[in-house]
Structures are given as C-alpha cells and as structure tokens.
Amino acid sequence: MLYLIHGNDWQKARAKAREILDTLKKKRPEATVVSLEEGLPAATYAAQAGGVSEAKIEELAGSQGLFERKFIVFSDRVCADIGNAEIVKSKLAMISASENVFVFLESDLKADLLRVFEKHATKVQEFKKVEKKERFNSFLLADALGQRNKERLWVLYHQALGEGLVAEELHGTLFWQIKAMRSAELVKTPAEAGLKPYS
C-alpha cells in the first residue's frame, strides 16, 4: 500500500501525513515504523541503516509473510535528492504491491515522478498554498480623478475591470470623488464640507 502526500503547504501536508501514520499505527499495532529521511543523497544513505538504496527499499517492500516483520515506512522528503528520486521511481511498482505500507511526504515533485506515483499509489493528496491577491483599490481611481490625470484614470479604470470589479462599484467611487471635489469648491475648509481623509 502506498500513500503520497505532497505540496507546498508544508504545515497541512505534514499534519495529514502524521494523521495517516497515527491511523496506520492503530490498525497495525504489531508493525515496525521505519523512517527514511531527507537530507542525504543516495550514495551516502546506502551505507546507513534507515537510508535510501535499492536494496533497502526491496528489503522493506519484500518483507512480508507469516513469520516476517511488518513495516510502516515513512519517507520524509527523500525525493528532494535526484538520486533518491530515481531509486524511488524505479521501485514504486514493487512498493505499491507490498503488504507493507509506505507513506511518502514530499514537497514539490517533478511531473514525471508525480505521474508514476499517481499510477501506483493507493492515495495521492496535494496541499497547495493559495496565494491571496490583494483586491484592486478603487480609491486609486478617485485619486487620479482628483488630480485630473485622465491618462492614469483611464488605465486604472481598465485595470480594475480586468481584475473583476464591476462598473457600478467604480462609478460609485468616482461619483463620491466628484461630490467631494464639488463640496471643496463651495466651502473654505474640509471640516465645513464634512469631509474626512481616507487611508
């Protein structure tokens, strides 16, 4: 069984991986948890217990049967190293066929490796950060109108429409500015007109 949790929202991805591991530990209390960790390339890992090598993955994937140990293998960003990624990619069919459970937690995967994971994994979950774009400030239009800058006003108006603001909202802001400008002509101070600065 093979799970892949990946994406750039690292906090949510790690929390999901931990949730899966906790569930698996409850379902398989007799299983030994083995961690494969990021940071060292395949050549260095090969000499270390718990490292990534073809032999190590074959051992973990192939250890099954009545009297052999069961494993839950947690792989923490090992595919960040190109050598490790190639080893994992070549062994994914074997890993998915194993009775042992493999949980891979990765950040950004190359498209070809992701396709192979998707082909063999029981479950693939991606966690992406949604970058919030700041909404267009319609008061920039009011400023351009107040400065009587026709070119800037025209550019900003079309930029606002392009960002999804409706014309009625923009016209309201422009109408407010025209009223403020007219009030300023008729009185001596902003306080008399009842105007307050905006920020």
Side-chain angles (χ1 to χ4, degrees):
M1 193 177 295
L2 171 60
Y3 294 91
L4 171 65
I5 312 299
H6 71 105
N8 63 5
D9 191 336
W10 196 240
Q11 192 173 8
K12 287 183 181 175
R14 185 166 287 285
K16 184 62 179 179
R18 287 286 164 213
E19 180 187 318
I20 289 171
L21 285 171
D22 289 342
T23 303
L24 289 170
K25 287 175 193 175
K26 286 177 186 171
K27 286 182 180 176
R28 300 178 173 215
E30 78 289 348
T32 303
V33 178
V34 176
S35 288
L36 304 176
E37 297 172 12
E38 83 165 311
L40 295 173
T44 308
Y45 260 140
Q48 298 182 1
V52 176
S53 68
E54 288 191 23
K56 185 68 176 176
I57 289 179
E58 287 171 7
E59 174 192 336
L60 293 170
S63 294
Q64 50 193 322
L66 188 58
F67 300 107
E68 295 178 22
R69 293 165 63 194
K70 301 286 184 192
F71 294 106
I72 297 171
V73 182
F74 177 55
S75 171
D76 190 352
R77 293 181 287 184
V78 297
C79 293
D81 176 77
I82 295 170
N84 291 345
E86 288 303 315
I87 291 170
V88 168
K89 185 177 174 183
S90 70
K91 298 297 178 185
L92 282 175
M94 174 187 282
I95 290 169
S96 69
S98 175
E99 287 184 18
N100 294 322
V101 182
F102 286 74
V103 179
F104 281 83
L105 175 61
E106 299 291 340
S107 50
D108 295 321
L109 291 174
K110 291 188 176 177
D112 61 327
L113 180 55
L114 181 58
R115 278 194 298 273
V116 179
F117 263 110
E118 288 171 340
K119 180 180 176 184
H120 295 291
T122 307
K123 188 171 190 177
V124 174
Q125 279 187 278
E126 181 176 13
F127 292 88
K128 276 189 171 181
K129 282 185 181 174
V130 178
E131 292 186 22
K132 292 183 181 177
K133 188 177 179 184
E134 277 193 39
R135 193 168 192 267
F136 181 84
N137 183 355
S138 59
F139 285 107
L140 293 174
L141 286 167
D143 286 344
L145 179 63
Q147 295 164 357
R148 293 172 174 78
N149 187 336
K150 296 175 193 171
E151 184 179 330
R152 179 166 165 72
L153 179 61
W154 185 248
V155 169
L156 287 169
Y157 180 74
H158 283 282
Q159 182 182 348
L161 292 176
E163 292 190 21
L165 272 71
V166 292
E168 289 78 11
E169 182 181 358
L170 301 175
H171 294 162
T173 303
L174 294 173
F175 183 65
W176 168 83
Q177 179 68 337
I178 290 167
K179 287 193 312 185
M181 290 167 67
R182 182 69 181 137
S183 295
E185 285 179 355
L186 299 174
V187 295
K188 293 179 183 168
T189 65
E192 281 181 54
L195 297 175
K196 295 180 181 174
Y198 64 87
S199 53

